Every structure is written in structure tokens, then in C-alpha cells.
Amino acid sequence: MSLRDYFYINKSDRRIILALLLLGMVAFVAVGVLDEDVPAETPSSADAKWRGGASQTQKAEPYYQVEAHRVERFPFDPNTADSTQLLRLGLQPWQVRNIYRYRASGGIYRSKTDFARLYGLTVKQYRELEPFIRISSDYQPASTLVAHDDGAQRDTLRYTAKLHEGETVSLNLLDTAALQRVPGIGSYYARRIVAYGQRLGGYASVKQLNEIDDLPADVQKYLQVTGDGHIRQLSINHLSLNELRRHPYINYYQARAIIDYRRQHGTITDLQQLSLLPDFPPEAIARLRPYISYQ
């Protein structure tokens, strides 16, 4: 085999190699032409160009831009001032939104110091605004319009006039508001007294208040029970076991004993008929008697 056989290239391969060589020559010539058109850049000119580009970028794209506006001072009422007025006073938009939310939720600025509680308001800002704050009298408590005999102004919704020594009221005719006139009784005890009276069907004696836990005993001297017309009685011959046991003075075993006695002996005409039963000692019959009807 001759040396020519080792370096033999067929016709199609020769065409490909020739095309690649031509493409390489064209690229080389193009790069040479472009390098001649671009002037050489010295280190000093490159540094100046970089500095100029940086300054132009900083001028064109600032980090943060705030629209400047002139702060004004004029009289204003924080309860009625609109957003334009509040912004003119120098408040920030988020502070204005907080004022609007506070007013929308029913908040009222009753004094200048109330406005000082605005979140984000500095001492300097408040001192500058304070001489211009005008709170309308329409936003003051209505209790300021009423003067009492002692010259003091008092909120009658918060303070209840108490009974004096020697004064009494009827226990069965009182509601929670009237009970709070009794010295030593507030809203908590008033609710408990009324609730227990409803369970009993009315009070037959002031001494029944001793059955309410922790109720001060000295409140009884301001209360009295007049007659029994306000007592709701139980029809002992007709009520079911569950209906009987709802009364505080009748437990489950007593209610069952009443039902059994009616079934065995018929109509009950007097509670004394139950005295022979072990569930009805004399004291149980005595306190239950005002609440029983035999009809």
C-alpha cells in the first residue's frame, strides 16, 4: 500500500473541507476590518467614561424620591378634618388612615391630649400642632350639660343613688337596676337575687336571701316582703315529677315521694299529710308551704 492511499480523501469530503476553509477566511477578514474601525481606548478615557456613566445612572434612577410639599398651620378639629387638611398639616398618609379608622370605629377626640396618642406623632409635631387644635363642644360627654345640687357633675348611668339608713323597698317588686340602690348590692348580686327569686316563684321571706352564697347579710335591713300576692304557687296534685323537682325546695326523691303518695292515697289537701314520709322533715314542709297550691 502506497503513501497516497493513507492521505486519500474522497470528493465529497474535499468539498466540505474547502467550504470550512473559505468560511474561516471570511471570518478572519471581517474581524480585521472591524478592529480598524474601533479606535483604541486608553485607560484614562475608559475610566472617565465609567465615571460619567455612573453619574448619569445615579441622576436618572434615584434610590427614593419623595414628593416635597409645604407644611401649613391652621386651626383644625381632628374629629372632622378631612384627609387633604391633615396632609397639609404635615401628617403622613398612614397617620391619616389611622385617624380615619379610629373615627370610623366610633372613636372621638375629646381633648387635645387625645390627639397626642396618634401613633407616630412626635413631641415636636404635637407641640407645633397643639395651638391649632380646636375640639368642638359637640363631642363632649352629654353629662357635662347637667349640674347636680352639690355642684359636681356626675354620670347617672354609672352611679346609682343608694338607699339611706331606715329606707326599705319591697323585694318582690325590684328588678336588677332597683336592687343596685341597696347598699352592698352591685350588678353581680342583683342578678343573682333576681334569678333565685324567679326559681323560687317569689320571695316569701327576706331570710331566704341567706340561701344565696356570699351575699352580705346586712342588705336585708333595706328589704321587705309585703304579702304573698307575688308568689307563684305549684299545683302539687297535677305537676309531673320533672316539673316538681325544678323548684329549689323539692329534690328528686321528694318529687318521687309526692308522685307515689298521689298514686296510693289520692289528692293531697295539706302538706302535713307528707310529714310521715322520711323525705319531708318539719323544716322542709315549713319552707315549702307558701309555694304549694292544692287545686
Side-chain angles (χ1 to χ4, degrees), residues 129-144:
L129 293 173
E130 193 253 349
F132 299 95
I133 300 175
R134 304 288 188 270
I135 306 295
S136 173
S137 59
D138 294 339
Y139 295 96
Q140 299 300 322
S143 59
T144 59

Side-chain angles (χ1 to χ4, degrees), residues 1-29:
M1 180 179 295
S2 64
L3 186 63
R4 181 179 177 181
D5 294 334
Y6 288 103
F7 295 98
Y8 175 76
I9 301 175
N10 57 33
K11 187 176 181 180
S12 60
D13 292 339
R14 288 197 300 270
R15 290 178 181 177
I16 294 175
I17 293 173
L18 183 60
L20 292 174
L21 291 175
L22 291 175
L23 183 60
M25 293 178 62
V26 171
F28 180 78
V29 173

Side-chain angles (χ1 to χ4, degrees), residues 129-200:
L129 293 173
E130 193 253 349
F132 299 95
I133 300 175
R134 304 288 188 270
I135 306 295
S136 173
S137 59
D138 294 339
Y139 295 96
Q140 299 300 322
S143 59
T144 59
L145 301 176
V146 182
H148 295 270
D149 295 337
D150 57 0
Q153 294 179 345
R154 194 173 185 182
D155 188 349
T156 56
L157 295 179
R158 294 178 57 191
Y159 300 96
T160 303
K162 296 293 186 179
L163 296 176
H164 298 289
E165 192 74 24
E167 292 182 322
T168 59
V169 289
S170 180
L171 182 57
N172 286 326
L173 299 178
L174 300 180
D175 56 13
T176 55
L179 278 170
Q180 293 182 56
R181 295 186 58 209
V182 177
I185 295 180
S187 59
Y188 171 72
Y189 282 126
R191 290 194 299 269
R192 292 187 63 185
I193 291 172
V194 170
Y196 191 61
Q198 291 173 347
R199 290 183 60 202
L200 286 171

Side-chain angles (χ1 to χ4, degrees), residues 97-110:
R97 289 194 295 270
N98 287 341
I99 293 174
Y100 269 70
R101 292 193 188 102
Y102 177 71
R103 296 191 318 205
S105 63
I108 296 176
Y109 297 98
R110 301 185 186 277

